Amino acid sequence: MTEQTQSDDVKKIPAQSAAPAEETLTDSGPAAAPSQDDVPGPVTADAVPAGAGPAEAAQTPSDGAATEPAGTPAETVGPAVAAAAETAETVAEPVPAEATPAESVTPGPRKRLRDRRGLRAAVRWTAAVVVFAVLGGAAAYAVTQPERTEIPGLETPDDGRWTYPALKLPKLPAGQPGAMGTDNPAGRHHADLRTLLLPIPSGAKRDTSFPDRGGWLPTADFVEIYPEDVRKKFRAALDDNTLRHIAARAWTMPDGTRTEIYLVQFATEPYTTRVRNELIVPASFAQAAHPQTDTTWSDDDSAVPKGEMVSPYNEAAPRGATHLRAAYITAGDTLAVVHMEKAGTQPAVPFHQTVLLQAQLLG
């Protein structure tokens, strides 16, 4: 219904003929041609054909009329009408879209300048990233090459600890469990006990009077580290609790600190526990075996392997000419004794370090 109504409305609108551009511009434009009433002389509509130029108007006289001389007002009418027509055609013609400056395809100077600036910025940032990547890689490589202690700001402060070789546990016989394993209730060390001795630290001088890995230390030599009134009791306790053998190693550091390590092995763990409870734990043994000592242990006990026990002794001041530190480690069927002595005052760090490393080897 709507489409039909619109169609009827269109039919009702009368067709209008387009007015000539010349007439439209003549009524309103600035270059309008004068009307015939304003033109002097006998020029009529019959004398000047429509669309005729000034030359044709001058050469075509009317019937029975004389030819108008040149320079009459009729000659000026043609040029005025032609100028108005040319103006109408010029204004009526639309400007081609290709000539519009806003849609020109050639980039202006400002756009080219922005493109060059963006390109230079991208080049600068890329160069900066490459330089930083190269410097970072070089710094990382430089840090990994020297020792940590040689890098300023990263070196570990010297706290007096010794430099030991990397610890390596010996290979167990096929099918044998570790001494501290749950499947080894006897707590036996199936590896050769001499391979469980803590290695000598860097710079130390080994005492060749100790058997080291070449043999076993006699029991009499071991009890010599105790005062005379303790030796007999200690010797009897070792014999009564199925002593098997003793591995020993000793060395002296450049500062004069002497270290002796003894690994005393019994038949099973229960014998080791009994010797510990009878001789090491009671205060009377500490006073007799290590006079003027107390049981101070400032290091972290969490470094000691699970199942082991450490009993340290430190000679209290005032001391004599030497400073004594000792520790007993019970690990399965083995009792380890660390005996360290130094003239003057002995620092605690090397002592704690040595005890913990030996405990880890036994565990």
Side-chain angles (χ1 to χ4, degrees):
M1 184 66 180
T2 304
E3 296 179 356
Q4 184 176 0
T5 304
Q6 294 178 354
S7 177
D8 295 340
D9 295 338
V10 173
K11 293 179 181 179
K12 293 179 181 180
I13 299 175
Q16 298 179 0
S17 58
E22 298 176 357
E23 297 178 1
T24 303
L25 294 176
T26 302
D27 296 337
S28 60
S35 62
Q36 292 181 357
D37 297 335
D38 298 331
V39 178
V43 179
T44 62
D46 297 335
V48 182
E56 294 178 358
Q59 296 176 3
T60 309
S62 60
D63 296 339
T67 304
E68 292 291 335
T72 60
E75 295 180 356
T76 61
V77 176
V81 175
E86 291 179 0
T87 304
E89 292 177 359
T90 303
V91 176
E93 291 181 358
V95 179
E98 294 79 16
T100 305
E103 299 181 2
S104 177
V105 296
T106 304
R110 293 185 179 179
K111 185 176 185 302
R112 289 196 297 270
L113 182 59
R114 288 196 299 268
D115 293 343
R116 287 197 296 269
R117 289 177 178 176
L119 180 60
R120 287 196 295 268
V123 171
R124 287 196 298 268
W125 278 107
T126 303
V129 171
V130 172
V131 170
F132 278 110
V134 172
L135 293 178
Y141 176 79
V143 169
T144 58
Q145 294 308 304
E147 295 293 335
R148 180 182 177 87
T149 55
E150 298 176 0
I151 302 176
L154 295 180
E155 68 271 19
T156 302
D158 186 8
D159 55 2
R161 68 184 63 188
W162 296 340
T163 303
Y164 283 95
L167 301 184
K168 185 178 180 180
L169 293 175
K171 187 176 180 180
L172 293 173
Q176 299 297 336
M180 310 306 294
T182 56
D183 54 348
N184 187 1
R188 291 180 179 176
H189 285 87
H190 294 283
D192 189 332
L193 202 63
R194 291 168 292 188
T195 62
L196 298 178
L197 285 167
L198 185 66
I200 296 174
S202 177
K205 182 179 180 180
R206 188 173 71 87
D207 188 345
T208 57
S209 64
F210 280 65
D212 206 272
R213 289 194 177 190
W216 303 104
L217 183 73
T219 306
D221 293 346
F222 168 62
V223 297
E224 287 290 332
I225 65 174
Y226 299 105
E228 187 174 356
D229 55 345
V230 179
R231 296 174 189 170
K232 183 181 289 187
K233 183 179 181 179
F234 203 95
R235 175 69 182 267
L238 296 178
D239 294 339
D240 293 343
N241 288 280
T242 65
L243 173 65
R244 297 180 60 189
H245 38 239
I246 302 173
R249 175 177 289 165
W251 66 83
T252 303
M253 294 297 290
D255 64 351
T257 304
R258 177 177 173 81
T259 303
E260 301 174 0
I261 297 180
Y262 305 89
L263 302 183
V264 184
Q265 189 173 32
F266 299 93
T268 59
E269 181 179 6
Y271 291 104
T272 308
T273 303
R274 187 164 68 177
V275 170
R276 172 188 173 83
N277 293 338
E278 292 180 358
L279 296 179
I280 299 172
V281 173
S284 57
F285 171 80
Q287 294 173 0
H290 308 292
Q292 299 181 350
T293 60
D294 55 19
T295 57
T296 58
W297 181 256
S298 59
D299 209 345
D300 185 6
D301 289 340
S302 63
V304 179
K306 185 178 180 180
E308 298 185 23
M309 297 182 65
V310 176
S311 300
Y313 296 93
N314 175 39
E315 186 178 6
R319 294 177 289 267
T322 60
H323 182 188
L324 172 66
R325 292 180 184 271
Y328 294 85
I329 307 169
T330 55
D333 62 354
T334 302
L335 173 67
V337 181
V338 178
H339 196 271
M340 192 176 291
E341 195 169 3
K342 181 182 181 295
T345 301
Q346 178 187 159
V349 172
F351 172 72
H352 293 162
Q353 178 190 16
T354 302
V355 172
L356 293 176
L357 292 178
Q358 183 60 72
Q360 292 174 5
L361 278 175
L362 291 175

